[in-house]
Amino acid sequence: MFFAGDSTEAKARVAAFLESLDMRALDAGGLEMAHALEWAGILLVSLARNGAGFDIALGAEVP
């Protein structure tokens, strides 16, 4: 799960919460990245609604 924000403390809490749900938390950077993440979500929903199904996801390799 990608997330973005400007507060180091808040991002640590969000990452811990996501990991508690067995999700992989991926820090996308500062709050300025929120707009890009919103469009990525819109893209995924649009793909899912147009035949790709709802089990698709954006992936990222983390070194």
Side-chain angles (χ1 to χ4, degrees):
M1 175 70 65
F2 293 100
F3 65 96
D6 290 336
S7 168
T8 303
E9 179 185 341
K11 286 174 30 171
R13 293 177 71 180
V14 167
F17 174 69
L18 293 171
E19 290 166 2
S20 77
L21 299 173
D22 290 328
M23 294 180 169
R24 190 163 134 203
L26 299 170
D27 187 344
L31 196 55
E32 70 278 359
M33 292 303 298
H35 186 73
L37 295 179
E38 289 171 2
W39 280 105
I42 290 169
L43 172 64
L44 288 174
V45 169
S46 180
L47 289 171
R49 291 185 69 198
N50 287 292
F54 283 93
D55 60 346
I56 62 171
L58 292 176
E61 293 296 322
V62 179

